[in-house]
Amino acid sequence: MFSEDIDDQEEPVTTPGESEHPSPLGSEFNILSAYVITRTGDDPVSPSHEAEAEIDECPYQNQQLVRRESYTRVLSPVRSLPPELAMIAPCPVPSPSLEFCLPAFSEFSSRPNRRALVDHFCNVLSHLIVFREESGNPFQQLVLPLSHNSSPVMNAIYALASAHLEYRGVQGPEKSVYFHNQAIQGLARVIENQGKFNKNELLAAIMLLVYYEVLVQRGRTSIIDGHLKGAFAIMCLNKDLLTPAGLFLERAFGFYDVITALSLGTAPLSTAPSAGGLLPVPPLDAPPASPLTGVDTLLGMATTLWPIMHRLSNLLFTKKELEDAHQTGQVSKVAVLRTELESTSNSIEAALRQWKPYLPPNIMIEDDVLVLKGVEREEIPEMSRLQSILHNALAYRHSAFVYLYRTIYGYSPKHVLVQEHSHTALHHCVETTAARGPMGALLWPLFAAACEAITAEDRELAKKAFNAIEQRQGMTNIQEAWRVIQEVWKRLDSLDDDFAVGSSPGLWRNVCADMGVTIVFG
């Protein structure tokens, strides 16, 4: 029996005060403050242990969910259900060495509804948020085993899976917000004990909570930022040699650090990696001769682009500092910041022009299409997936240009460079979905490009891509992003004056504020 059954019998930890997450990165490290919350009157109370033990029927068992069999055959037998949520590529035979890593679903909990949540996490959700898994899914290989001894990780998994199901209208006897509170309170208890803790277990719980916050989008801007600050504080305190799980978790936080900065206009928390400083992280036991060699599990073919994206994500914060210094009359600071902003922007623009995706061996690009070197019209089974991953990376590159020209340089949406790269980025987004490959990281480039779509053709491309990723992924932030896009278009169409249009590079941020939503495009 796992620790969450024991955990439910304990008194919940509640602390009066704010439910926001203050930064743990101060002069004195206090990560506990980031994981103490107040249970509000709206929070559902979990059924008692006795009542839950009597639950025979699982509310998820009769739902029509698209799922596919896990790589680890020790997981519970997969029910045959018709597709509805996602179209997922078939998976190959797993490595026998992994079979002892993941227990059967019955070992996670005696409660059918919780076993169904683990089932959904393994066989639906985990496949939607990685680029490659030819030898196994990293969330199943590296994250799920950490729940064996960690109730915060287990509850975070329950919260994430439950929230994904709730968005699709599937309700269980325990709400996702209950599991979310249990996970955060569990983290607080572990840290409060001030004993030796398992770094990877803490990071896994925090990482899953980041995915949860991105998924349910409750409009609280500091929650994701607080989780990221806590994670980077833990990573800074523990400089041990990274295990495969630690490397994967570090890459996940690096991804969300940049995406959160781009989404919220804040500075990234981590230091920018050097050019060529990132290497692709493959799944555990990936064969050296895999056709997906060179593809990162979370960044795809954009691994070498990510150092540029990191520097790009810091520009808006620098620009705001420059504007503040100008308004307060700090002449010397204005000069320094203006020089820094101009030189960094020019450097990023040049790097984006020179960047090329990191390709697997024996594969080259001809007119944005992958082909095998020296073999005419021959394909490999993974070619469609690789093509989708390529278009995803190219969408990031062109949307990075859009962000630079529109948000940093302040060009009008009608500027030829803005329209050129916006159209190209939307084209690559549509091609990503058309190839039916991974779509988990597509929201930011799609949103950035769609905001500047002014022609009927480009808006139709955006609509097509949004429909495809919403159908596949089933995430709240996708739906919210589409609502914002439609309002942005309405306001752009109402601004006939080119100066008025060009003077609003942050139009979508104004729309989000007016609508009362905060979106992280992960």
Side-chain angles (χ1 to χ4, degrees):
M1 188 66 60
F2 278 79
S3 54
E4 99 278 0
D5 291 325
I6 299 174
D7 189 54
D8 288 345
Q9 300 176 16
E10 299 177 0
E11 290 295 323
V13 176
T14 56
T15 301
E18 298 279 332
S19 63
E20 300 291 340
H21 300 95
S23 169
L25 300 178
S27 57
E28 186 174 347
F29 175 68
N30 182 21
I31 189 174
L32 175 62
S33 62
Y35 296 103
V36 177
I37 66 169
T38 301
R39 182 177 294 282
T40 67
D42 296 332
D43 289 347
V45 178
S46 174
S48 67
H49 179 83
E50 292 79 6
E52 288 182 359
E54 296 174 359
I55 295 175
D56 311 331
E57 299 294 331
C58 172
Y60 313 126
Q61 287 178 350
N62 296 323
Q63 298 298 326
Q64 294 182 348
L65 301 176
V66 172
R67 33 195 317 288
R68 83 183 196 197
E69 186 168 0
S70 167
Y71 287 108
T72 51
R73 291 180 176 177
V74 296
L75 296 179
S76 292
V78 177
R79 299 182 301 278
S80 177
L81 300 177
E84 177 175 305
L85 289 189
M87 298 290 292
I88 306 174
C91 59
V93 176
S95 167
S97 64
L98 298 177
E99 294 192 2
F100 65 89
C101 295
L102 302 178
F105 293 144
S106 61
E107 297 186 20
F108 285 90
S109 176
S110 62
R111 310 176 194 182
N113 67 302
R114 294 189 176 189
R115 293 200 300 269
L117 292 176
V118 179
D119 183 14
H120 184 75
F121 176 80
C122 291
N123 293 315
V124 176
L125 195 50
S126 65
H127 299 295
L128 297 177
I129 47 183
V130 295
F131 278 101
R132 58 180 292 196
E133 46 184 350
E134 71 273 21
S135 62
N137 184 282
F139 284 92
Q140 298 176 38
Q141 295 174 323
L142 304 173
V143 177
L144 189 58
L146 296 174
S147 68
H148 190 291
N149 297 316
S150 173
S151 62
V153 175
M154 192 75 263
N155 281 313
I157 288 173
Y158 290 150
L160 180 58
S162 182
H164 192 243
L165 286 164
E166 287 168 3
Y167 174 73
R168 287 296 185 178
V170 182
Q171 301 295 328
E174 295 173 296
K175 304 298 183 184
S176 62
V177 68
Y178 165 73
F179 290 121
H180 172 262
N181 286 342
Q182 289 293 101
I184 288 186
Q185 291 167 15
L187 281 174
R189 283 194 293 271
V190 171
I191 298 168
E192 192 176 32
N193 289 336
Q194 297 183 349
K196 187 175 181 180
F197 55 81
N198 185 303
K199 167 187 168 183
N200 286 341
E201 289 177 0
L202 286 181
L203 292 178
I206 297 171
M207 184 267 292
L208 291 166
L209 290 172
V210 168
Y211 275 102
Y212 171 89
E213 297 298 345
V214 171
L215 175 64
V216 297
Q217 285 303 327
R218 294 180 296 176
R220 296 162 64 185
T221 60
S222 66
I223 294 181
I224 295 174
D225 187 58
H227 286 324
L228 292 174
K229 287 179 179 178
F232 282 109
I234 293 171
M235 288 188 285
C236 288
L237 286 177
N238 294 268
K239 299 269 187 191
D240 302 334
L241 184 66
L242 288 177
T243 62
L247 185 62
F248 175 73
L249 292 169
E250 185 178 82
R251 182 58 49 89
F253 285 118
F255 169 79
Y256 266 109
D257 186 31
V258 171
I259 291 298
T260 301
L262 290 169
S263 302
L264 304 182
T266 55
L269 300 172
S270 59
T271 304
S274 60
L278 291 182
L279 295 176
V281 176
L284 198 63
D285 293 343
S290 169
L292 295 172
T293 298
V295 175
D296 188 272
T297 54
L298 295 175
L299 302 181
M301 291 185 186
T303 307
T304 54
L305 180 65
W306 216 246
I308 306 173
M309 296 298 300
H310 191 291
R311 294 164 61 201
L312 179 72
S313 70
N314 193 51
L315 288 183
L316 182 56
F317 181 79
T318 304
K319 184 179 180 180
K320 290 177 180 177
E321 281 191 314
L322 174 59
E323 293 170 349
D324 291 343
H326 188 270
Q327 291 177 359
T328 55
Q330 302 179 59
V331 179
S332 58
K333 187 175 182 180
V334 167
V336 171
L337 289 174
R338 179 180 289 115
T339 301
E340 177 186 347
L341 182 63
E342 291 177 354
S343 61
T344 305
S345 299
N346 291 336
S347 174
I348 290 173
E349 185 175 6
L352 286 172
R353 293 188 185 283
Q354 297 171 4
W355 178 81
K356 293 181 180 180
Y358 190 93
L359 298 176
N362 302 320
I363 291 180
M364 61 182 182
I365 302 176
E366 291 183 358
D367 299 325
D368 293 337
V369 176
L370 294 174
V371 295
L372 291 175
K373 293 180 180 178
V375 183
E376 187 176 356
R377 287 189 293 276
E378 183 174 333
E379 290 191 0
I380 56 177
E382 296 83 1
M383 189 61 80
S384 179
R385 188 178 188 89
L386 285 169
Q387 193 66 54
S388 181
I389 296 172
L390 171 65
H391 284 298
N392 186 294
L394 294 175
Y396 265 93
R397 174 178 180 259
H398 288 282
S399 286
F401 276 117
V402 172
Y403 182 91
L404 181 66
Y405 293 142
R406 186 81 173 98
T407 303
I408 306 303
Y409 292 170
Y411 290 175
S412 165
K414 297 181 179 179
H415 193 284
V416 61
L417 289 176
V418 174
Q419 284 304 299
E420 174 190 340
H421 289 287
S422 174
H423 173 79
T424 306
L426 290 172
H427 164 75
H428 287 300
C429 288
V430 170
E431 290 300 311
T432 299
T433 65
R436 309 307 298 166
M439 305 180 197
L442 194 60
L443 186 55
W444 183 81
L446 174 56
F447 183 87
C451 279
E452 315 309 333
I454 59 177
T455 66
E457 178 189 3
D458 285 352
R459 291 183 178 182
E460 186 60 31
L461 288 175
K463 181 179 179 180
K464 185 176 181 180
F466 264 104
N467 286 339
I469 66 169
E470 201 284 329
Q471 182 181 7
R472 163 73 76 85
Q473 301 298 117
M475 309 293 187
T476 306
N477 60 343
I478 298 172
Q479 182 188 59
E480 290 296 310
W482 176 239
R483 288 178 56 230
V484 171
I485 287 294
Q486 293 177 88
E487 180 62 25
V488 167
W489 290 347
K490 186 186 300 182
R491 296 191 188 187
L492 280 176
D493 293 342
S494 67
L495 296 174
D496 296 329
D497 183 81
D498 285 350
F499 176 78
V501 173
S503 62
S504 302
L507 178 59
W508 72 265
R509 298 184 191 276
N510 297 334
V511 170
C512 285
D514 293 343
M515 296 175 66
V517 299
T518 301
I519 307 173
V520 173
F521 305 102

